[in-house]
């Protein structure tokens, strides 16, 4: 990343279960292939993510015993004692921390510190719902003030949303899933922002062709009874 070449810090936001471990494995692969120098420290913060990681080490990543050794070289777990020195450090490093949307966990400590630095990167690897810190940073322009946990900081760091480790299936994947059902009568679209749900509902109606498609969260409701929906 350009931020590492400029002695900056890459703060990578991840969800605790599954996604954080996949990112650790990805960093390890980058080190093995020579794309990432092994002397760049990798800090891992977030109690729940650490606990899940220990379970993955025991059983193997993706339940494969041969993949117990997936941790990057030069990895350090961060606790409250180590965190202040990590924050004070001006050398290049990678910080993998929770929460995935930035609104909770150690992210609330790291983001206010690094969002003000032009040579740093804040990378969200999953979906950021409306109202979360990740969403606010996404809509903020360079130099805008952003409220973070009661503090106000100006956005100068590079902010990226790659979402490759989102838990949400992509639209095409969900369309393919629905096409497996025969005589599909009703599909209810529940999760997401209204405009996104509306567009996806239209795709379902056109491509899957169920009898009807409903969007939850409007001024009506659907009731299940012996006669159906």
């Amino acid at each position: 990343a350009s931020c590492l070449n400029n002695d900056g810090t890459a703060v990578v936001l991840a969800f605790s279960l599954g996604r954080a471990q996949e990112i650790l494995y990805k960093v390890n692969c980058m080190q093995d292939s020579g794309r990432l120098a092994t002397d760049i420290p990798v800090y891992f913060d977030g109690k729940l993510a650490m606990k899940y990681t220990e379970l993955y080490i025991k059983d193997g990543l993706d339940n494969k015993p041969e993949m117990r050794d997936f941790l990057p070289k030069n990895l350090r777990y961060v606790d409250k004692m180590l965190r202040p020195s990590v924050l004070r450090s001006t050398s290049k490093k990678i910080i993998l921390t929770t929460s995935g949307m930035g609104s909770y966990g150690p992210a609330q400590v790291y983001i206010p510190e690094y969002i003000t630095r032009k040579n740093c990167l804040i990378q969200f690897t999953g979906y950021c719902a409306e109202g979360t810190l990740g969403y606010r940073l996404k809509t903020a322009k360079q130099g805008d003030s952003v409220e973070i946990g009661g503090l106000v900081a100006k956005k100068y760091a590079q902010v990226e949303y790659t979402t490759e480790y989102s838990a949400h299936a992509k639209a095409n994947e969900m369309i393919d899933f629905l096409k497996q059902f025969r005589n599909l009568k009703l599909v209810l679209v529940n999760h997401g922002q209204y405009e996104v749900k509306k567009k996806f509902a239209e795709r379902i109606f056109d491509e899957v062709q169920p009898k009807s498609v409903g969007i939850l969260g409007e001024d009506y409701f659907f009731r299940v009874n012996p006669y159906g929906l």
Side-chain angles (χ1 to χ4, degrees):
S2 59
C3 72
L4 296 178
N5 294 332
N6 293 323
D7 291 328
T9 296
V11 180
V12 182
L13 287 303
F15 300 101
S16 297
L17 177 59
R19 276 64 61 81
Q21 294 74 37
E22 288 184 43
I23 294 170
L24 289 171
Y25 171 67
K26 180 69 173 181
V27 172
N28 187 22
C29 291
M30 292 175 65
Q31 291 175 335
D32 289 343
S33 65
R35 289 180 291 164
L36 181 66
T38 57
D39 62 346
I40 297 175
V42 180
Y43 294 100
F44 186 32
D45 203 340
K47 286 184 178 180
L48 188 58
M50 293 178 191
K51 290 181 179 179
Y52 282 132
T53 300
E54 293 303 318
L55 294 175
Y56 275 94
I57 292 172
K58 179 182 177 182
D59 298 328
L61 193 63
D62 291 335
N63 293 320
K64 297 177 181 177
E66 67 273 16
M67 291 188 66
R68 289 191 178 98
D69 187 18
F70 62 87
L71 298 181
K73 293 79 178 171
N74 208 10
L75 176 70
R76 293 192 66 180
Y77 283 21
V78 179
D79 57 17
K80 289 184 178 181
M81 299 297 291
L82 179 60
R83 195 176 295 149
S85 64
V86 175
L87 288 166
R88 287 194 301 268
S89 171
T90 57
S91 60
K92 57 184 174 182
K93 56 189 172 296
I94 297 172
I95 301 173
L96 175 60
T97 187
T98 56
S99 66
M101 298 187 189
S103 294
Y104 303 98
Q108 290 281 293
V109 177
Y110 291 112
I111 291 178
E113 179 68 29
Y114 292 106
I115 195 65
T116 61
R117 304 184 190 184
K118 294 182 179 180
N119 66 335
C120 292
L121 167 69
I122 311 292
Q123 180 179 359
F124 291 88
T125 59
Y127 174 75
C128 290
E130 188 173 357
T132 63
L133 175 57
Y135 186 85
R136 294 202 302 274
L137 290 179
K138 182 178 182 179
T139 55
K141 298 179 180 180
Q142 291 294 103
D144 282 356
S145 296
V146 183
E147 189 273 326
I148 306 173
L151 302 175
V152 177
K154 288 195 174 184
K155 174 186 173 182
Y156 289 115
Q158 179 184 358
V159 179
E160 296 290 342
Y161 295 81
T162 48
T163 68
E164 70 269 44
Y165 296 101
S166 175
H168 299 79
K170 306 303 181 186
N172 290 339
E173 295 172 338
M174 290 188 284
I175 292 292
D176 291 339
F177 172 74
L178 291 172
K179 285 181 177 179
Q180 298 178 51
F181 295 91
R182 296 181 179 180
N183 192 29
L184 198 57
K185 295 182 179 179
L186 173 65
V187 177
L188 299 178
V189 181
N190 177 42
H191 188 63
Q193 300 171 29
Y194 175 71
E195 289 301 322
V196 176
K197 291 191 292 185
K198 182 179 178 182
K199 290 180 180 179
F200 184 57
E202 293 172 353
R203 280 197 62 185
I204 294 173
F205 193 79
D206 293 338
E207 300 178 34
V208 182
Q209 298 181 344
K211 186 175 180 180
S212 58
V213 180
I215 303 175
L216 293 177
E218 292 303 292
D219 295 328
Y220 53 86
F221 64 91
F222 295 88
R223 182 174 63 185
V224 181
N225 59 29
Y227 303 101
L229 287 165

